[in-house]
Structure formats: structure tokens, C-alpha cells
Amino acid sequence: MIHCDIKLCVGCRMCEVTCSAGHFGAVSPALARIRVAKLDEVGIDLAIACLGCQEKPCLECPTEALTLGSMGQIVLDADYCDGCGICYEACPVGAIGFYDGQPLFCDLCDGTPNCVTTCPTGALSNREDEPVSLAPFMDFGGAPGQKRAHFATLKGQPLREEWAAGGRVDA
């Protein structure tokens, strides 16, 4: 799954550009399968794609259009998807996009994610870690953009505390 080092992400959105161009041939954040949470008021940026969480609430698809792929990615069978948006709403960190009646999941670009190779700061990596639990985020309501901001805020809290204490941030 795609991991973003919050200390290195500058919010440039190259990941969104590369993702949307690679999948749709157009540059549009609405078409990206990775989204940047920009929290300008606190100086935190965090690119968020599917984290392959332990809970996988998105797989609770009523039409069984979603399965787990060989690399741990969520795979959509568009023939079964009715565009209900349950998966989109279920993601606790707002990592799922939705465009033209279909959810957009990070498909890991067949093993070589374009966002990782084009990230100018090296903030993105494709890691095969054990799935992380997103249980602490499951009860946070709101739109996907609000969920991304909430996730970035909590992930950035230790970094903000370090800054407030005058600590040096090493990558």
C-alpha cells in the first residue's frame, strides 16, 4: 500500500496529477486515486491512498463488486457495481474517490505506483507492511474530505508537538 511520510510531503499534488493522467489521460484531482489533505493552518500535508486497513469496511459491498487483489489492493468489478457509494462513505480516512458513478481505489498501478516514482520529495513509498488498524477513525463521520483532514490532523500531531517544542525534524 502507498505510504506517505508526513515529514517529507509538501502538498505539491504531483501524486494526484500523475494518478489521474495515468488512469484517465487527464489532469484532475477528482480523477485521482490518491488525495492530498492540505492543512495550511497547521502546515501539514499528507497524501492519502487506500491504506489496506485491517477492517476493510469498503468490502461490505451489497453487490459484491469489491474483492481483495493479490497485492492487497481493493479490486472493483465494474459489471457488479451499481454506484451506491457505500464503499466511498465507509472508508474511515476518505481514501476512496468517486467519479462518474464508480468508486476509485488505488490499484497500485500493477505493482509500480506512478505516484511513488514521480513524488519529487520521496515522501511516497509502496510498502508491504501488515495492514494497519483504522479502528480509531471508524466513528468519525463526515464527508471524505473531512475524514482525510481528520486523519492528517491526528497523524501530524506528534510532528506539530515536536515543532512546538523547538525540536528539529529529521526525515
Side-chain angles (χ1 to χ4, degrees):
M1 300 287 95
I2 305 300
H3 170 75
C4 181
D5 184 336
I6 200 166
K7 290 182 179 180
L8 297 177
C9 183
V10 296
C12 69
R13 298 187 183 267
M14 272 306 294
C15 53
E16 293 178 346
V17 168
T18 301
C19 182
S20 63
H23 285 91
F24 289 96
V27 175
S28 171
L31 300 174
R33 296 159 189 241
I34 186 168
R35 308 287 167 103
V36 176
K38 293 185 68 59
L39 306 177
D40 293 330
E41 64 280 358
V42 293
I44 296 289
D45 300 309
L46 182 67
I48 302 170
C50 176
L51 300 172
C53 66
Q54 290 174 355
E55 295 81 10
K56 297 184 182 18
C58 60
L59 288 180
E60 299 298 320
C61 176
T63 64
E64 299 182 2
L66 303 173
T67 57
L68 199 56
S70 62
M71 296 178 287
Q73 81 280 23
I74 304 299
V75 177
L76 171 69
D77 184 333
D79 291 335
Y80 289 106
C81 181
D82 65 3
C84 70
I86 290 174
C87 58
Y88 174 72
E89 296 295 329
C91 181
V93 296
I96 302 170
F98 204 80
Y99 181 76
D100 199 24
Q102 298 278 296
L104 302 175
F105 293 91
C106 176
D107 60 5
L108 298 173
C109 298
D110 296 323
T112 308
N114 293 326
C115 60
V116 172
T117 59
T118 60
C119 179
T121 64
L124 298 178
S125 60
N126 183 12
R127 299 187 351 192
E128 295 183 27
D129 297 339
E130 288 296 313
V132 63
S133 174
L134 293 180
F137 303 97
M138 295 299 231
D139 292 331
F140 184 80
Q146 293 168 318
K147 291 177 182 180
R148 284 190 296 278
H150 178 68
F151 180 70
T153 298
L154 294 182
K155 293 299 274 186
Q157 187 62 36
L159 182 57
R160 288 192 310 279
E161 289 172 1
E162 188 175 340
W163 289 340
R168 193 175 140 208
V169 178
D170 294 318

